[in-house]
Amino acid sequence: MANESMKLKPLGSNKYTDGEGGGNGNSPGTNEDYDPHLHRVVENPTTNVETLIHLLKGCLGTGILAMPEAFKNSGIFNGLVSTFIIGVLCTYCLHVLVKSQYILCKRLKIPILSYPESMKLALESGPQCLRPFAKMSPLLVDFFLIAYQLGICCVYIVFVGVNVKAVGDQYLKEVDVKIYILASFIPFILINCVRNLKLLAPFSTLANIITFASFGVVCYYVFQNLPPIDDRPSFGRLYTYPLFFGTTLFALEAVGVVIALENNMKTPKSFGGYFGVLNIGMAFVVVLYIGMGFIGYWRYGEIVKPSITLNFPAEQPLSQAINLLYSLAIFISYGLQGYVPVAIIWNTYVVKRLEGSTHLIAWEYLLRFACVIVTFVLALTIPMLGLFISLFGAFCLSALGLAFPAIMEICVNWPDNLGRFKWILFKDILLIIFGVVGLLAGSYSCISEIINEFKKQA
């Protein structure tokens, strides 16, 4: 078999110590003194500040530029309140997920568990009616994780195509956005072929600088000539509210990032808590998203675009520079986001079937090409940025970020630790219902709008 340098490193993979706590996880341990955090072996662990920076980076992508359009679908006052509530709910569910994983690790004497493994082990110890689903649960979690990450990549491709087109139309003959998307195919292939993420680190730093600098220019435009706030409706239509829900969930939820960050911290106990890394980071993100959505919709109203940068005067050099620079930042981020589905597919489903092969590198590159091709086919088929964001947010994150953590919490506390009057059980059932309704309603609204858009174009 090829040496370890040829293999992708799994996201959130297990690492066991050779001493105490190095069990195989097949039988539960009874030693209450076992602390999974003390038995983790992490290469290059991150400090609290570094973890906070990574958390902010994982949450601040294309979603924040779509928040003004999300507020258009909800109404300005409803959007403000709903974004806060969804932000609190997402943060709470992330705490539930991390805590449930910790309980499982402590119970089984395992230092680290991935999300799919945690789901399987939780269901095996949960109510009898859920145990038959344990075997297939890792596949289901992987499906949503892969779909979500590929969805992010699709959004990034469309974002780059739409924003570059906005600039190109000022100097060249106006052409369909699909031409710009196709023209970016080779660059996206190349960046997804970077197998060592350390090589992307300097470019990621550049992307962060561009992103935060762009926020300053966005503020410069949106605070100009604000109309009377009474011109904006406080509440939108019920039909469009699921679109708001999907966009906001896509923008705020970072379940895959959160698990990886907590697993790689030097002091993982600092991640939770009232003033822990997660709460501080999410509080900053929620305030930023509320501000962007509120001010952006207040400024542009019903004419707001799926990315607020498209509302800026296309003929102005400053606006053109922001469109191009932000597109560059998102292009760089594609390499990071594309790494996740490749890692899951390669390590979980492919590499074990290629044991003994002398062409592992070639197979890995083939997988990388295939992932890029899939995202481009979707982007070319449905080049609708706002609807793409809402669809993947509602479909994937309602399950990954809301329903699944609640199911895990029920299972790991079953049957004797569900609180007084079993309040944890009833609370989690409400979260599951909320997640399922969000998934169904959000997906239905997005698909309906996509069909309507195709009918308009026909």
Side-chain angles (χ1 to χ4, degrees):
M1 189 153 177
N3 62 46
E4 289 297 312
S5 64
M6 290 187 180
K7 295 170 64 179
L8 281 170
K9 180 182 176 182
L11 211 62
S13 58
N14 295 344
K15 292 182 181 181
Y16 307 107
T17 55
D18 293 329
E20 183 185 358
N24 59 18
N26 291 326
S27 58
T30 57
N31 187 356
E32 290 297 321
D33 294 330
Y34 179 80
D35 186 349
H37 293 159
L38 300 179
H39 294 273
R40 290 182 180 177
V41 179
V42 180
E43 296 176 12
N44 303 315
T46 56
T47 65
N48 293 353
V49 174
E50 290 171 336
T51 303
L52 178 60
I53 292 172
H54 286 311
L55 177 60
L56 295 177
K57 176 185 173 186
C59 292
L60 297 177
T62 57
I64 189 169
L65 300 179
M67 284 306 297
E69 189 188 45
F71 270 57
K72 182 182 77 171
N73 291 321
S74 67
I76 194 165
F77 176 75
N78 188 24
L80 189 152
V81 175
S82 295
T83 303
F84 175 77
I85 293 173
I86 293 173
V88 171
L89 199 59
C90 287
T91 306
Y92 175 74
C93 287
L94 290 172
H95 277 289
V96 168
L97 177 59
V98 171
K99 184 179 178 180
S100 298
Q101 287 188 310
Y102 179 82
I103 292 173
L104 283 170
C105 288
K106 187 177 181 68
R107 182 180 299 165
L108 301 175
K109 293 187 177 183
I110 298 174
I112 292 178
L113 283 171
S114 68
Y115 195 167
E117 291 167 332
S118 300
M119 194 69 184
K120 179 176 183 290
L121 292 170
L123 289 172
E124 287 176 345
S125 63
Q128 198 67 39
C129 61
L130 294 179
R131 292 182 185 180
F133 300 100
K135 189 173 182 180
M136 65 173 289
S137 63
L139 183 64
L140 187 62
V141 173
D142 279 339
F143 168 76
F144 279 108
L145 282 171
I146 293 168
Y148 172 54
Q149 291 299 144
L150 292 178
I152 292 177
C153 292
C154 292
V155 170
Y156 283 8
I157 291 168
V158 176
F159 180 90
V160 171
V162 168
N163 280 271
V164 173
K165 170 181 163 57
V167 178
D169 286 350
Q170 302 302 310
Y171 301 97
L172 304 171
K173 180 181 177 182
E174 188 171 340
V175 296
D176 192 285
V177 66
K178 294 179 181 179
I179 302 299
Y180 285 94
I181 291 176
L182 282 172
S184 66
F185 179 70
I186 297 301
F188 276 106
I189 281 281
L190 293 176
I191 198 165
N192 202 48
C193 284
V194 178
R195 300 172 62 246
N196 187 346
L197 290 184
K198 289 184 179 180
L199 297 177
L200 286 175
F203 298 100
S204 296
T205 302
L206 173 63
N208 286 338
I209 294 172
I210 292 172
T211 299
F212 283 106
S214 299
F215 288 160
V217 178
V218 170
C219 290
Y220 166 77
Y221 277 111
V222 298
F223 280 104
Q224 292 184 21
N225 305 316
L226 286 172
I229 198 168
D230 293 340
D231 292 349
R232 305 294 175 240
S234 295
F235 296 89
R237 294 182 299 146
L238 182 62
Y239 173 74
T240 59
Y241 187 80
L243 299 177
F244 161 83
F245 175 78
T247 300
T248 306
L249 206 58
F250 179 94
L252 285 173
E253 188 66 85
V255 60
V257 172
V258 165
I259 295 171
L261 291 178
E262 195 271 344
N263 283 351
N264 286 278
M265 282 187 71
K266 183 183 295 184
T267 55
K269 291 188 185 304
S270 301
F271 192 75
Y274 291 112
F275 299 100
V277 172
L278 179 58
N279 281 355
I280 293 173
M282 290 302 292
F284 180 80
V285 168
V286 170
V287 169
L288 199 58
Y289 275 60
I290 289 175
M292 180 67 75
F294 186 87
I295 299 297
Y297 180 53
W298 181 7
R299 171 67 179 84
Y300 294 107
E302 296 303 306
I303 65 170
V304 71
K305 302 289 182 63
S307 171
I308 196 172
T309 56
L310 300 175
N311 283 102
F312 303 156
E315 71 281 357
Q316 292 186 6
L318 181 60
S319 173
Q320 295 170 9
I322 287 303
N323 281 331
L324 293 177
L325 287 173
Y326 212 99
S327 295
L328 176 61
I330 293 301
F331 166 74
I332 293 170
S333 299
Y334 182 96
L336 299 173
Q337 300 292 351
Y339 179 88
V340 179
V342 171
I344 295 173
I345 296 170
W346 178 257
N347 290 291
T348 307
Y349 302 101
V350 176
V351 75
K352 61 186 178 183
R353 290 177 170 80
L354 298 174
E355 189 170 356
S357 172
T358 57
H359 304 291
L360 283 181
I361 296 284
W363 283 109
E364 183 186 325
Y365 278 120
L366 184 63
L367 175 60
R368 291 178 179 275
F369 293 156
C371 286
V372 176
I373 290 171
V374 168
T375 56
F376 263 82
V377 169
L378 286 172
L380 288 167
T381 304
I382 316 172
M384 303 165 192
L385 182 61
L387 294 176
F388 243 139
I389 291 174
S390 295
L391 177 60
F392 284 104
F395 180 70
C396 297
L397 293 176
S398 294
L400 288 173
L402 299 176
F404 288 176
I407 293 172
M408 283 179 59
E409 186 177 42
I410 291 174
C411 292
V412 299
N413 290 292
W414 185 267
D416 301 321
N417 297 310
L418 293 170
R420 192 175 185 182
F421 305 119
K422 297 191 183 297
W423 72 271
I424 293 177
L425 174 64
F426 295 114
K427 177 262 299 181
D428 285 335
I429 289 175
L430 288 177
L431 284 175
I432 295 167
I433 293 172
F434 185 75
V436 172
V437 171
L439 187 154
L440 296 177
S443 300
Y444 173 79
S445 295
C446 293
I447 293 171
S448 297
E449 285 298 305
I450 289 172
I451 293 172
N452 289 337
E453 287 294 323
F454 276 125
K455 288 180 178 178
K456 290 177 185 178
Q457 296 173 11

